[in-house]
């Protein structure tokens, strides 16, 4: 890090930490006032239950102390006792007997229904702070058990049933208050969150824990204005920073999908331009990938919820290129990959297991096409096999969960396993056969 420019970088983050100490104001501590602590985050412990995290504005906390919890001025007062009290030390927590005004701490013992925005108060003199407003969900995904022919074949898989998925989602909702989920029949669940990034992080965490599941394409939520027929959808403020030479391309793409340019100016460094747009959330799904492609990986996009705005009607096309789906069981091979390379790029490589309906690549054209990527060519000698390997086609297209969520269409599902990610047509007979 450095505060003097990229030419004077140090090997550690001390310049950044020094700036934080110098520039950020110290907390205003009111040790002689009644207890106030705004719950700003939550954690969960399998043995101790919900863990409340926040900074003590006034007063102090001790183990065994009786406290009140209240949401805003009009909220009901609930009382409880602190069973465990923690301070933050390096990257972890350690138990402590008392914390004072100005300290950031965590404690257990609170009732189950405590939420972000609650104030920990003195039950004899409750003075709640203005609550934090948690942003409502804007995007929905369908979660369900993996029903593909390759389900439960990954050696790292631990959890596969609908009951396991439900239990994990319930646990997530205890600490992630922006997340909602509800049953959707046929062992599936509708999971709502604040954008594909939040839902993608949840999927990645579950995947690393050993879960397998099938996920539908992102759907942007809408709402009707109470008492009217007006339909609204979420809008976001998108801030894009890109090299000057790609400014026109980026601007043209954002305007094409309905973005409204608010401001254009210099970026954080010389040679960069910053563009600010207001745009419907549905038009931002997959936009990061498009901008990265047109700027050779140099454009950066960040977005945050802006408002609920008037719904923009019209057919929204998630992508401009069609998909290449497979038509038979087997394994992808050099011969087919080389022969089919003229149709587009592929997610699979030689030896990758495939099944009917599995999306194996991206078409060069807007239309979807179907191929038999498992069809091989009989090679009667080593020379033919070596030639077949040399003509095996373009490099494999690698995508993570975020990229798949941004690229997949509404008629597709994402098969998430601890090892592999596979895209499949939702109407594939291979799925319904299980």
């Amino acid at each position: 890090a450095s505060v003097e420019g990229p030419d004077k970088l140090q090997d550690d983050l001390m310049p950044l930490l020094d700036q934080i100490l110098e520039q950020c104001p110290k907390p205003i501590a009111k040790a002689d006032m009644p207890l106030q602590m705004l719950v700003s985050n939550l954690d969960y412990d399998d043995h101790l239950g919900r863990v409340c995290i926040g900074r003590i504005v006034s007063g102090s906390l001790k183990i065994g102390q009786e406290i009140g919890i209240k949401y805003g001025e009009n909220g009901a007062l609930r009382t409880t006792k602190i069973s465990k009290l923690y301070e933050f030390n390096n990257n972890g927590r350690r138990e402590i007997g008392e914390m004072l005004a100005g300290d950031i701490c965590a404690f257990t013992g609170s009732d189950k229904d405590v939420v972000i925005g609650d104030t920990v108060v003195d039950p004899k003199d409750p003075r709640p702070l203005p609550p934090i407003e948690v942003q409502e969900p804007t995007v929905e995904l369908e979660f369900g058990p993996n029903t593909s022919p390759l389900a439960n074949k990954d050696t790292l898989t631990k959890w596969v049933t609908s009951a396991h998925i439900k239990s994990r989602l319930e646990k997530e909702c205890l600490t992630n208050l922006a997340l909602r989920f509800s049953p959707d029949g046929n062992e599936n669940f509708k999971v709502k969150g604040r954008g594909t990034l939040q839902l993608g992080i949840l999927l990645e965490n579950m995947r690393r824990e050993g879960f397998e599941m099938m996920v539908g394409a992102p759907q942007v939520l809408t709402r009707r204005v109470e008492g009217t027929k007006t339909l609204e959808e979420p809008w976001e403020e998108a801030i894009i920073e890109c090299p000057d030479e790609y400014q026109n391309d980026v601007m043209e793409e954002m305007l094409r999908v309905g973005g409204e340019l608010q401001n254009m100016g210099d970026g954080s460094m010389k040679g960069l331009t910053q563009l600010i747009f207001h745009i419907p959330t549905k038009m931002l799904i997959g936009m990061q990938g498009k901008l990265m492609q047109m700027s050779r990986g140099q454009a950066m996009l960040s977005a945050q919820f802006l408002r609920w705005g008037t719904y923009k009607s019209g057919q929204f096309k998630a992508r401009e290129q069609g998909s290449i789906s497979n038509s038979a069981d087997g394994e992808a091979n050099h011969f087919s990959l080389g022969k089919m390379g003229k149709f587009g790029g592929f997610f699979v490589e030689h030896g990758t297991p495939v099944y009917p309906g599995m999306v194996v690549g991206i078409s060069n054209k807007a239309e979807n096409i179907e191929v038999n990527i498992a069809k091989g060519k009989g090679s009667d000698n080593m020379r033919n096999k070596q030639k077949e390997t040399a003509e095996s086609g373009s490099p494999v297209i690698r995508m993570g969960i975020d990229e798949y969520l941004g690229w997949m269409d509404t008629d597709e599902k994402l098969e998430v396993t601890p090892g592999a990610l596979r895209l499949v047509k939702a109407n594939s007979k291979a799925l319904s056969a299980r």
Side-chain angles (χ1 to χ4, degrees):
S2 173
V3 295
E4 301 178 9
D7 297 331
K8 297 182 179 180
L9 290 175
Q10 295 188 21
D11 295 333
D12 53 34
L13 296 177
M14 291 306 297
L16 174 62
L17 298 177
D18 290 339
Q19 284 294 303
I20 292 174
L21 292 176
E22 292 175 13
Q23 302 297 329
C24 294
K26 295 181 180 179
I28 300 174
K30 305 173 184 177
D32 56 343
M33 297 292 288
L35 173 62
Q36 287 181 314
M37 176 186 137
L38 189 66
V39 178
S40 56
N41 204 356
L42 295 170
D43 200 356
Y44 186 81
D45 185 279
D46 290 334
H47 303 290
L48 301 173
R50 193 169 284 195
V51 181
C52 300
I53 302 171
R55 182 175 67 85
I56 303 174
V57 176
S58 60
S60 62
L61 285 177
K62 298 179 181 179
I63 293 178
Q65 178 180 343
E66 185 176 8
I67 60 172
I69 297 176
K70 191 173 182 181
Y71 189 87
E73 291 290 346
N74 300 321
L77 180 65
R78 298 104 69 194
T79 59
T80 186
K81 285 188 177 181
I82 294 179
S83 59
K84 296 282 186 179
L85 185 62
Y86 303 92
E87 67 173 348
F88 288 88
N89 180 52
N90 293 327
N91 292 325
R93 296 195 292 251
R94 65 183 179 190
E95 290 192 43
I96 193 169
E98 182 179 12
M99 295 294 281
L100 305 177
D103 292 335
I104 297 174
C105 66
F107 69 87
T108 62
S110 59
D111 53 352
K112 186 178 180 181
D113 61 348
V114 65
V115 298
I116 291 176
D118 274 334
T119 302
V120 180
V121 297
D122 182 344
K124 297 179 180 178
D125 187 7
R127 301 184 185 184
L129 297 167
I132 299 171
E133 293 186 8
V134 179
Q135 181 188 318
E136 291 298 311
T138 56
V139 176
E140 178 182 78
L141 289 182
E142 182 184 65
F143 283 45
N146 187 2
T147 58
S148 90
L150 300 178
N152 204 17
K153 294 188 177 181
D154 193 298
T155 57
L156 298 176
T157 296
K158 299 178 182 178
W159 318 107
V160 296
T161 68
S162 178
H164 290 140
I165 296 173
K166 180 182 178 182
S167 177
R168 179 62 177 82
L169 292 175
E170 288 175 340
K171 181 178 179 180
E172 184 70 22
C173 287
L174 289 175
T175 57
N176 192 341
L177 299 186
L179 201 71
R180 312 277 193 277
F181 89 97
S182 59
D184 189 43
N186 298 324
E187 298 186 323
N188 294 337
F189 305 94
K190 291 288 187 182
V191 183
K192 301 175 183 178
R194 293 179 296 183
T196 56
L197 177 60
Q198 184 190 34
L199 294 173
I201 291 172
L202 172 61
L203 284 170
E204 184 63 43
N205 287 338
M206 293 178 67
R207 177 191 183 196
R208 294 181 182 186
E209 293 166 13
F211 281 86
E212 274 197 18
M213 69 206 88
M214 195 74 78
V215 180
Q219 302 289 331
V220 174
L221 301 174
T222 59
R223 71 178 190 183
R224 291 198 179 275
V225 179
E226 187 175 353
T228 72
K229 295 183 178 180
T230 303
L231 189 64
E232 292 185 329
E233 65 179 340
W235 283 60
E236 299 190 27
E237 181 180 68
I239 302 176
I240 303 170
E241 194 169 83
C242 65
D244 295 340
E245 60 264 36
Y246 300 111
Q247 167 193 326
N248 291 335
D249 294 335
V250 170
M251 188 182 302
E252 181 179 348
E253 177 63 20
M254 291 294 288
L255 294 174
R256 184 186 69 81
V257 297
E260 299 173 357
L261 182 64
Q262 302 297 309
N263 189 35
M264 179 173 63
D266 295 334
S268 58
M269 296 177 62
K270 185 178 180 180
L272 297 179
T273 298
Q274 184 185 80
L275 304 167
I276 301 178
F277 291 88
H278 290 176
I279 184 171
T281 298
K282 67 174 178 247
M283 301 301 182
L284 274 182
I285 296 177
M287 183 57 69
Q288 177 70 68
K290 292 181 182 178
L291 298 183
M292 292 286 279
Q293 287 180 351
M294 65 176 57
S295 66
R296 297 185 179 181
Q298 300 179 73
M300 296 300 296
L301 167 67
S302 62
Q304 63 179 358
F305 176 78
L306 180 65
R307 66 176 188 273
W308 286 89
T310 303
Y311 179 79
K312 281 199 170 186
S313 59
Q315 184 65 30
F316 168 60
K317 190 171 179 59
R319 64 190 186 211
E320 299 175 0
Q321 294 172 285
S323 61
I324 303 175
S325 58
N326 180 58
S327 61
D329 285 306
E331 293 183 352
N333 58 74
H334 292 305
F335 171 72
S336 291
L337 289 170
K339 185 178 180 181
M340 306 297 179
K342 59 185 177 182
F343 296 123
F346 290 92
F347 303 134
V348 297
E349 56 190 347
H350 178 78
T352 301
V354 294
Y355 55 85
M358 179 174 163
V359 177
V360 295
I362 302 175
S363 173
N364 290 330
K365 299 182 179 180
E367 296 80 17
N368 296 332
I369 61 174
E370 187 177 64
V371 301
N372 183 0
I373 204 70
K375 183 179 181 181
K377 175 184 178 182
S379 298
D380 53 3
N381 56 49
M382 184 58 66
R383 181 177 298 176
N384 284 344
K385 291 183 179 179
Q386 292 173 346
K387 180 181 179 182
E388 182 181 308
T389 301
E391 298 175 353
S392 59
S394 304
V396 178
I397 299 173
R398 306 289 184 185
M399 282 193 184
I401 288 179
D402 286 340
E403 290 83 4
Y404 272 120
L405 291 178
W407 188 79
M408 66 189 295
D409 214 336
T410 53
D411 65 339
E412 295 165 348
K413 290 189 174 185
L414 180 62
E415 181 185 353
V416 179
T417 76
L421 297 172
R422 306 181 190 94
L423 208 58
V424 58
K425 291 296 180 181
N427 61 358
S428 170
K429 294 181 179 179
L431 301 184
S432 58
R434 282 183 58 87

